[in-house]
Amino acid sequence: GAVVSQHPSRVICKSGTSVKIECRSLDFQATTMFWYRQFPKQSLMLMATSNEGSKATYEQGVEKDKFLINHASLTLSTLTVTSAHPEDSSFYICSARRFQGVYNEQFFGPGTRLTVL
Amino acid sequence: KQEVTQIPAALSVPEGENLVLNCSFTDSAIYNLQWFRQDPGKGLTSLLLIQSSQREQTSGRLNASLDKSSGRSTLYIAASQPGDSATYLCADPRHGNNRLAFGKGNQVVVIP
């Protein structure tokens, strides 16, 4: 149990285009999902918290108009990188929170490698 | 702001040796502590979650301890195998909103 998928796993796009990345919790419902970005040899940096049925909460320095997040259901959150530029090239990872009584555990997707030419 | 430090940043050990990976926090008010494994170009796999009321957790050859008073956690991997080669990340899920604060990881190479 507790499987999180991401699609696509890898995407290459031209500068100026928009890219949508999907994050799905396959066998549990997730009211909260998280989006991270990871640059080579760096740790994960939280970009935003995605809440089902409400607006996402963005971390300081993350442009909400640049990185659009939609959490339309309890099993799906999407991240759209709008007007992508080469500096947006990175590894994007989502996680989904599974609530179990008094504590929560996060499960991560396999990541999406974005390359902007 | 919680800052997480992992030492050593990288290490190589021969197969069969035990591994000791350290994780420390600037804010010792830790609620839970989670250890992850990340293979190159992949997502994270949850290894162990230590709840606030616990001092350690064990899963197979893995044992993680948590000392909240000093803001430290240690991951022990017994009898390392080449398949243990990966980057190990510790994270503090902030109580209440579950935003994870990550360290940069311990990059481990187990030499056959």
Side-chain angles (χ1 to χ4, degrees):
Chain A
V3 178
V4 177
S5 70
Q6 277 185 245
H7 178 80
S9 58
R10 188 181 297 268
V11 58
I12 300 173
C13 69
K14 293 183 179 180
S15 184
T17 61
S18 294
V19 175
K20 179 185 285 188
I21 303 170
E22 293 185 348
C23 177
R24 295 181 184 271
S25 56
L26 299 184
D27 50 4
F28 66 99
Q29 293 183 333
T31 56
T32 303
M33 292 183 174
F34 302 87
W35 286 96
Y36 296 84
R37 181 164 55 181
Q38 185 179 35
F39 292 105
K41 298 191 181 300
Q42 298 295 315
S43 190
L44 281 74
M45 296 300 295
L46 179 65
M47 298 175 65
T49 301
S50 171
N51 299 298
E52 188 267 337
S54 65
K55 291 183 179 180
T57 303
Y58 290 82
E59 295 298 300
Q60 190 173 9
V62 179
E63 300 174 58
K64 62 180 181 180
D65 295 329
K66 171 77 171 177
F67 300 98
L68 300 179
I69 291 173
N70 184 18
H71 195 150
S73 76
L74 289 172
T75 59
L76 173 64
S77 175
T78 61
L79 168 69
T80 301
V81 182
T82 63
S83 186
H85 288 93
E87 58 265 30
D88 298 323
S89 298
S90 186
F91 192 53
Y92 292 86
I93 305 176
C94 72
S95 71
R97 185 183 75 176
R98 183 177 71 177
F99 181 71
Q100 294 191 129
V102 297
Y103 71 94
N104 304 280
E105 191 170 357
Q106 287 191 31
F107 297 91
F108 285 76
T112 297
R113 174 74 59 190
L114 170 63
T115 302
V116 184
L117 302 177
Chain B
K1 178 184 176 182
Q2 177 72 284
E3 292 186 6
V4 182
T5 302
Q6 290 189 244
I7 296 173
L11 73 162
S12 296
V13 298
E15 182 178 0
E17 275 199 10
N18 298 328
L19 286 162
V20 180
L21 308 177
N22 296 299
C23 174
S24 61
F25 304 84
T26 54
D27 181 357
S28 61
I30 301 167
Y31 186 62
N32 297 325
L33 192 289
Q34 199 165 355
W35 279 93
F36 297 88
R37 166 186 174 139
Q38 185 177 29
D39 293 288
K42 304 292 185 182
L44 275 66
T45 301
S46 179
L47 296 175
L48 292 166
L49 170 67
I50 309 175
Q51 298 177 50
S52 59
S53 59
Q54 300 172 325
R55 299 187 69 175
E56 66 177 339
Q57 273 282 12
T58 298
S59 176
R61 294 183 294 110
L62 276 60
N63 174 277
S65 64
L66 176 61
D67 183 347
K68 295 174 67 175
S69 62
S70 63
R72 293 183 180 180
S73 178
T74 301
L75 177 66
Y76 299 88
I77 303 177
S80 60
Q81 303 171 358
D84 295 328
S85 299
T87 297
Y88 293 84
L89 297 159
C90 64
D92 165 27
R94 298 277 78 192
H95 179 40
N97 59 20
N98 292 108
R99 295 163 61 246
L100 288 173
F102 281 96
K104 288 187 177 181
N106 307 104
Q107 186 175 2
V108 172
V109 174
V110 179
I111 304 167

